[in-house]
Amino acid sequence: MVQLLGPQDRLLRVLERQHPSVQVLVRGNEITLTGADADVAAAKTLVDELIAMTKAGHDLGPADVENSARMLRRDENVRPSELLAEAILSTRGKVIRPKTPGQKEYVDAIDQNTIVFGIGPAGTGKTYLAMAKAVQALQRKEVDRIILTRPAVEAGERLGFLPGTLTDKIDPYLRPLYDALNEMMDPEIVPRLIATGTIEVAPLAYMRGRTLNNSFVVLDEAQNTTPEQMKMFLTRLGFGTKMVVTGDITQVDLPTGASGLRLVTRVLKDIEDIHFARLTSEDVVRHSLVGRIVDAYSEYDEKRVAARHEREQAAEFANRAERRAGLQRGPRDRMPKRGLS
């Protein structure tokens, strides 16, 4: 019961927020739900799923309760306890697993395809889950090495000259990958694996001319690749290698805005053994505000695109009307009149 309710009944408060019309009363090991029949039935289904998850050893958090409630609202036949039961990694007392249906589909796609594109907004676990699958594959000896790469592009800034060696210059761009590695593996082991080449963290420019065999390769921040870079990266694929490409096409930092990730979704969409997993704000597992921020920006972008389309249509209509008026006047009407001499 303590695992179900959380410390200081924190999870109970989340449960009450998800079903505000239902009164939840806890006495000992019993939970009593009071309210309208339909509301009580929905709350009971959520509680049953949470109990099943705790019995399976799932360490519940507020996000798990919120995600489970959201899943059940969308489809009452779905079972979060089954959907979220798969554990990718268990390290240092922490279990990494997909937490939404979209993430579960993404993880399954990585198992079933050679190249997977994880496209979605910030906080949807695109890179984190890909790296967890990479570490899992290395531990199972399915691959010989992990290669993590990303383009060295600033997020809307120009930092200018950076002091130090080449490694010192590129490390800040690769820091998020190092941070995730240290969360998933013993921090003392990671430097040794990097020193032996079992794990390689490098900027995308270093991929030119290589053939990557028996590797799990993750390309992060792929929205900042040019079309030429994306083609170069994908053609590095060797035997026994799996590739995962992650990015958010709404956050392109390239000066020209020509994103290789945007183009590849059209070029490779019909090729077998390549899967495009599209995550949404429903898959955000960070602070609940992140999902609302993503939705707000998406709504703003849609309105801006619609307004631009209306302006273009209005301008085209005006141009057609002007051309028709010119044809109706005829050539003589358009000739300038001469004064009398």
Side-chain angles (χ1 to χ4, degrees):
M1 184 61 69
V2 174
Q3 289 180 332
L4 179 63
L5 302 180
Q8 292 84 45
D9 292 343
R10 188 180 304 162
L11 302 185
L12 176 61
R13 303 290 173 258
V14 179
L15 174 63
E16 291 173 334
R17 287 198 298 271
Q18 295 300 318
H19 293 279
S21 59
V22 176
Q23 182 180 4
V24 184
L25 180 63
V26 180
R27 286 183 178 175
N29 290 329
E30 292 186 356
I31 299 177
T32 303
L33 305 175
T34 306
D37 291 345
D39 296 334
V40 168
K44 180 180 182 300
T45 301
L46 175 58
V47 172
D48 289 342
E49 288 300 309
L50 296 177
I51 292 173
M53 293 167 74
T54 56
K55 288 182 177 179
H58 196 136
D59 187 14
L60 291 179
D64 298 307
V65 180
E66 293 173 353
N67 291 334
S68 298
R70 187 164 58 235
M71 280 186 261
L72 291 169
R73 280 196 296 268
R74 286 186 302 190
D75 184 358
E76 60 183 12
N77 296 318
V78 74
R79 289 292 171 260
S81 58
E82 297 176 2
L83 191 65
L84 308 181
E86 178 187 350
I88 302 173
L89 281 179
S90 180
T91 176
R92 300 162 65 189
K94 180 179 180 180
V95 179
I96 300 175
R97 53 165 53 94
K99 295 185 177 181
T100 69
Q103 289 188 351
K104 180 66 166 59
E105 179 186 345
Y106 174 48
V107 170
D108 290 343
I110 293 175
D111 289 331
Q112 298 163 8
N113 296 272
T114 300
I115 300 178
V116 173
F117 291 85
I119 302 173
T124 51
K126 306 179 300 294
T127 305
Y128 197 75
L129 291 174
M131 293 187 63
K133 292 298 291 182
V135 174
Q136 181 192 59
L138 184 65
Q139 292 178 345
R140 291 178 175 179
K141 301 188 184 303
E142 296 171 359
V143 297
D144 296 334
R145 58 180 174 165
I146 297 173
I147 298 176
L148 309 174
T149 183
R150 62 187 297 177
V153 177
E154 296 99 341
E157 299 180 68
R158 293 295 175 267
L159 302 180
F161 174 77
L162 295 176
T165 65
L166 181 60
T167 301
D168 295 332
K169 296 175 190 294
I170 64 176
D171 266 1
Y173 300 101
L174 307 174
R175 179 50 51 188
L177 301 180
Y178 286 113
D179 292 342
L181 271 179
N182 289 328
E183 282 190 38
M184 297 175 189
M185 306 180 75
D186 189 335
E188 296 180 357
I189 297 177
V190 172
R192 293 204 299 268
L193 295 177
I194 292 176
T196 59
T198 303
I199 295 178
E200 179 183 347
V201 184
L204 181 59
Y206 286 15
M207 297 297 109
R208 173 72 70 183
R210 303 176 61 182
T211 301
L212 307 176
N213 293 317
N214 302 315
S215 305
F216 197 114
V217 190
V218 178
L219 170 59
D220 189 29
E221 298 291 339
Q223 76 274 6
N224 288 329
T225 62
T226 65
E228 294 78 13
Q229 285 177 320
M230 179 63 73
K231 178 182 177 182
M232 178 274 292
F233 172 77
L234 294 175
T235 53
R236 303 306 96 202
L237 180 68
F239 295 105
T241 289
K242 189 179 290 287
M243 285 183 167
V244 181
V245 180
T246 69
D248 178 3
I249 56 177
T250 68
Q251 296 193 46
V252 178
D253 299 312
L254 293 171
T256 60
S259 171
L261 185 59
R262 281 201 184 114
L263 178 63
V264 79
T265 58
R266 300 192 298 269
V267 175
L268 304 183
K269 62 180 180 179
D270 297 322
I271 296 182
E272 187 179 354
D273 208 20
I274 296 178
H275 180 85
F276 290 90
R278 298 186 181 273
L279 302 168
T280 68
S281 60
E282 296 290 333
D283 301 302
V284 171
V285 292
R286 291 181 184 170
H287 194 287
S288 58
L289 270 178
V290 175
R292 296 199 288 271
I293 290 171
V294 169
D295 286 337
Y297 271 98
S298 297
E299 183 180 354
Y300 170 77
D301 290 337
E302 289 174 2
K303 289 181 179 178
R304 186 176 61 177
V305 170
R308 184 174 61 190
H309 182 63
E310 289 180 3
R311 289 195 300 270
E312 290 174 351
Q313 283 188 321
E316 179 63 23
F317 180 79
N319 290 336
R320 286 201 300 266
E322 185 177 347
R323 288 196 296 270
R324 284 197 299 268
L327 291 174
Q328 290 172 358
R329 285 198 302 268
R332 273 185 195 176
D333 296 335
R334 293 195 298 271
M335 291 179 62
K337 295 182 179 180
R338 299 179 180 177
L340 297 175
S341 55

